Amino acid sequence: MAIAVTNPTTGETIREFEEHDAAEIEARVQKTQAAYEALKATTYDQRAAWMKASADILESEVDQLARMMVIEMGKPITQAIAEVHKCAKNMRFYADNAEKFLADEPLDDPSVVGASQAYLHYQPLGVVLAVMPWNYPLWQVIRFAAPALMAGNTGLLKHASNVPESALYLDTLFTRGGFPDGSFTTILAGSAPVAGLIDDRRIKAVTLTGSEPAGRAVAGRAGSNIKPAVMELGGSDAFIVMPSADIEQASSVAVTARVNNNGQSCIAGKRFIVHADIYDEFVEKFTEKMAALVVGDPLEESTQIGPLATEKGRQEIAELVDDAVEKGARVLTGGKAPDRPGLFYEPTIVDGLDHSMRLVMEEAFGPVASVYKVASREEAAEVANQTTFGLSSALWTSDASDEEFFIKNIEAGAVFLNGMTISYPELPFGGVKDSGFGRELGAPGIREFCNFKTIWKS
């Protein structure tokens, strides 16, 4: 795949880049390894100062960064601005909390293990390879980079090929903030060098956010090298609406949950599972609000839906909808690519689905919502759990027994009650089943790439 910026709104190729060759990749690995030797000797206070300085730089350049992301992958400008601020928040969160999260953990009574002192001590592992996607060009990287660097690791980034300007910005950000040169380094390349990098003994761990097939390949390679890995993969999140829900609010949030980032989000609500008692009311409101969304130039603040990032992505979402329709599903709104330049696809709702249709089991990575009518909470849980994914979920109810039931029975990494799934620096984030393993964010997110060293003293 070419390393280039192609504006999905216009189809214009803005800029092309040369891939790094083997010699350049080797030089960058060496630089990142050398930076680790320097970084691991620094204090939390020093790293925190550098991290906060990097966050300040990021926010001071918010306008240019937001525009850069819009042109690279088409997200609406207001969401791009929010992404920059979210990155800075995450950086400051780990600057403020890394030392607490990685503090020694003493055994309350060391005598039970025959010691005068016994405790758990955290240490960084070294260079961590990050293989990252295009849908959140800064956030997906920063949510790994901030805790990794605060723990004393260094990062080697292989970003998606269609967001090279985001990748190159991140290549210098942390050095500009004061970190040793090479603490976070970008490789401009396609997927070909990844296997060799995972095999390299200087790479101590790997993290990937991306598709399930990519996760299987990278996790398998890491496993064969006995290296730790964190995988945040696809999702087809259930958005469950029960009879006691606030239907007006639930239908409004459902729209945001489905079309945020033009529908290109792993943790977006994708399957809307609605109790029969309120199905017609919810679907009517949901359809009306989806149909009213403003589709247009993502650089305009009034735009709510921009283009999909790639032609392949638009083709895949169209194929899922077309397959469902050919097999008897009903399109309530949207259902096609509009007749206009750019990689647009209409906000779409589909119901009348059955297991013959690909849309039931596959991830819809675009502004397409699937709606299911269920007769009970048991059936709702069954539909929610029928896919191989298990990233997150949302439940709308005012019934405490419903809350207890779904918290216990939904197979997912999170359940959001009367809200939509959002990642927060303070809360662990990740999935189960084919949505991956390991956790980012929160205290677990900084501990994933640390050595848990047991200390025992007689």
Side-chain angles (χ1 to χ4, degrees), residues 34-108:
Y36 170 66
E37 297 302 325
L39 190 62
K40 70 179 182 180
T42 61
T43 65
Y44 286 109
D45 285 346
Q46 181 62 81
R47 297 197 291 271
W50 293 335
M51 186 62 68
K52 289 180 178 179
S54 300
D56 291 343
I57 292 170
L58 190 80
E59 283 198 316
S60 73
E61 297 169 347
V62 60
D63 291 338
Q64 74 181 66
L65 291 175
R67 182 177 176 84
M68 174 187 74
M69 288 189 284
V70 172
I71 292 172
E72 283 195 309
M73 55 73 58
K75 71 171 71 247
I77 186 67
T78 55
Q79 295 176 28
I81 291 169
E83 180 171 338
V84 175
H85 290 300
K86 185 173 184 177
C87 289
K89 179 182 178 182
N90 190 54
M91 294 161 77
R92 296 186 181 109
F93 172 78
Y94 280 106
D96 290 337
N97 291 284
E99 186 170 11
K100 176 181 70 176
F101 290 155
L102 299 181
D104 291 344
E105 298 179 15
L107 195 63
D108 290 339

Side-chain angles (χ1 to χ4, degrees), residues 240-242 393-397 402-403 406 415-419:
I240 301 167
V241 187
M242 296 298 287
S393 61
L395 168 66
W396 286 79
T397 183
D402 280 349
E403 292 183 3
F406 285 107
V415 179
F416 278 65
L417 304 174
N418 299 314

